[in-house]
Amino acid sequence: MKKGRNSASRTLYGFDIEGSKFSKEYVERKFEVLNKKVNILEVPVYRFIKPPDKIDNQLLNWFIDLASSYDLRFTAHADDNINFVVDYEVDEKDKERVMAQIKVAEKIDAMKIVFHQKIDEGDPVFKDPDKLPVRITIENVPSTSPFRVQEIAQKYGFGFTLDIPHMFLYGVNIGKEKEVYEWIKHLEPDHLHISNTYFRQSSLTTSLVSLLKGDLMSAFVKLRGDFHLPLTTGHINYRKVFERLKVPDTIIMEISTTNYEMLMKSLRRKSKVEKGYEEDIRYLKKLLKVAEKVGRN
C-alpha cells in the first residue's frame, strides 16, 4: 500500500480555516462548532506572518493555547502567491519568506503544509525536503496540469495535494471536461482539497440578476470559477470522483461559510451555517464508504 493511503475509517477529514475571514472570533467559533465533528483543520499559516516575513508570536501563541483545548490535528496552507518550485534563481529573501510559512506550520504541529504550484517547471526553494520540519506538498491550480504537478512532487520528494475543483477547471479550460473523471484514476494524492463549483459559463449580467434576487444556485450555475460551494451544489459529481479516487490520509473541505449562508437563504432555510457543515460531513462519510467499497482506499 502506498504511503499516505488509509482505510476510510482512519482518514482524517475536516475544513479549512478561511484566511480571508481570519479573526480571533472567527477561529474560536470554528473550533467550537467543528469540535468532535471533524478531526482536522487546515490553518492559513500566512495569517501569522507580518511584513517582512516576521512571525507574530503573540497571535501564534494565542492560537496554540486555543488549540490545546481541542482534540484536533492540523494541516497548513501557505500564502497562495508563494510557489515552492520556482523558475528563477532563489535568493535569501525567497528562502526567508518560505521558511516563515514552514516555521509557523511546525509550531502548530501541522502534519503537512500546502503550497500552490503555479508554474510547471523549475527548482525547489529548498532542495532536500527531508531536512525540513514539516512535509511539503504542492497543489495543482486551475492553470496547471494535475499530472505535471504530481510529476514535480514525485521528482523532488514532495507530497501532492490534489484540488478537485482546480482539476476540473483546468480540464474545462483546455477543452477536456469529459476526460477529467478518467484522469482521477491515474493520480495519487497525498492530500486532498474538495468543494464544488460550476464551470459551464453563461452571461455575467444574467448571473448578477439572479444573485440580486437571492437565487444563489441560478447565479453560480451561469458562471465558471472556483466558488468553494458545498459538495452537492455544483457540476462536479463527487460520487464518480470517489469511485475513481485513491483516497489519501487527509481531506480538507474548502467550503466558504458565506456560501453556506447565501445558499440557505436562497433555499429559504432557517438553518445556520452549522447545518451546512453537518450536511457536508455526512456526505463525505458516504463518499468514503463508496471509495472503500470499490477498493480505492
Side-chain angles (χ1 to χ4, degrees), residues 7 11 13 35 43 120 130 173 175 200 208 220 226 228 242 249 254:
S7 72
T11 298
Y13 58 83
N35 185 42
V43 181
D120 59 10
D130 292 333
N173 289 338
R200 298 185 187 108
L208 288 174
F220 277 128
D226 188 16
H228 296 275
F242 274 74
D249 62 348
E254 290 190 312

Side-chain angles (χ1 to χ4, degrees), residues 226-244:
D226 188 16
F227 296 124
H228 296 275
L229 295 169
L231 299 181
T232 56
T233 304
H235 284 142
I236 301 172
N237 182 332
Y238 266 102
R239 183 179 180 87
K240 288 177 67 175
V241 168
F242 274 74
E243 285 173 346
R244 296 159 171 80

Side-chain angles (χ1 to χ4, degrees), residues 76-271:
H77 202 302
D79 188 320
D80 289 352
N81 295 314
I82 298 178
N83 286 296
F84 197 85
V85 176
V86 297
D87 57 357
Y88 57 84
E89 187 174 347
V90 175
D91 60 22
E92 286 305 312
K93 286 186 179 180
D94 294 318
K95 291 182 178 180
E96 288 173 6
R97 189 181 186 203
V98 169
M99 185 53 72
Q101 313 276 322
I102 295 171
K103 284 182 177 178
V104 175
E106 180 187 18
K107 292 285 188 181
I108 65 171
D109 197 24
M111 299 172 64
K112 53 194 80 171
I113 181 170
V114 179
F115 288 86
H116 279 181
Q117 190 57 40
K118 298 181 180 180
I119 58 175
D120 59 10
E121 60 181 40
D123 295 305
V125 174
F126 293 98
K127 298 186 185 300
D128 189 348
D130 292 333
K131 292 183 178 180
L132 297 173
V134 180
R135 179 157 170 73
I136 304 298
T137 75
I138 57 174
E139 174 186 344
N140 60 301
V141 297
S143 61
T144 55
S145 162
F147 291 104
R148 181 57 183 145
V149 175
Q150 176 175 263
E151 183 182 354
I152 294 169
Q154 292 174 346
K155 176 181 178 180
Y156 292 112
F158 306 140
F160 168 48
T161 292
L162 174 61
D163 187 295
I164 296 292
H166 289 176
M167 175 179 60
F168 274 90
L169 289 168
Y170 174 78
V172 171
N173 289 338
I174 65 170
K176 294 188 176 181
E177 174 188 338
K178 293 181 179 179
E179 284 121 299
V180 176
Y181 288 105
E182 290 305 306
W183 293 355
I184 298 169
K185 295 179 180 179
H186 307 288
L187 294 167
E188 298 188 351
D190 300 278
H191 185 49
L192 196 69
H193 284 171
I194 59 174
S195 63
N196 217 319
T197 195
Y198 291 109
F199 40 72
R200 298 185 187 108
Q201 196 165 20
S202 182
S203 160
L204 177 59
T205 301
T206 303
S207 294
L208 288 174
V209 170
S210 298
L211 191 59
L212 290 171
K213 289 180 178 179
D215 186 354
L216 177 71
M217 295 179 73
S218 294
F220 277 128
V221 77
K222 300 178 188 303
L223 294 175
R224 179 187 301 165
D226 188 16
F227 296 124
H228 296 275
L229 295 169
L231 299 181
T232 56
T233 304
H235 284 142
I236 301 172
N237 182 332
Y238 266 102
R239 183 179 180 87
K240 288 177 67 175
V241 168
F242 274 74
E243 285 173 346
R244 296 159 171 80
L245 179 70
K246 295 180 180 72
V247 179
D249 62 348
T250 49
I251 301 176
I252 294 295
M253 291 175 276
E254 290 190 312
I255 301 170
S256 168
T257 51
T258 298
N259 287 338
Y260 279 138
E261 293 163 355
M262 293 176 67
L263 182 60
M264 289 176 187
K265 182 178 179 181
S266 176
L267 296 175
R268 292 177 170 78
R269 293 184 186 175
K270 295 181 180 180
S271 303

Side-chain angles (χ1 to χ4, degrees), residues 16-71:
D16 65 321
I17 295 175
E18 299 162 82
S20 61
K21 292 183 172 63
F22 192 95
S23 69
K24 287 185 176 181
E25 181 180 6
Y26 164 80
V27 174
E28 288 171 350
R29 183 61 179 159
K30 199 99 175 185
F31 271 85
E32 180 182 345
V33 169
L34 293 174
N35 185 42
K36 299 185 185 302
K37 294 184 177 71
V38 300
N39 40 36
I40 193 168
L41 295 175
E42 189 150 287
V43 181
V45 290
Y46 55 90
R47 292 307 306 261
F48 298 92
I49 299 170
K50 299 184 293 187
D53 305 317
K54 299 296 182 183
I55 297 174
D56 184 340
N57 286 305
Q58 184 175 0
L59 182 62
L60 180 57
N61 289 336
W62 166 82
F63 180 87
I64 293 170
D65 183 60
L66 173 69
S68 68
S69 300
Y70 295 89
D71 187 21

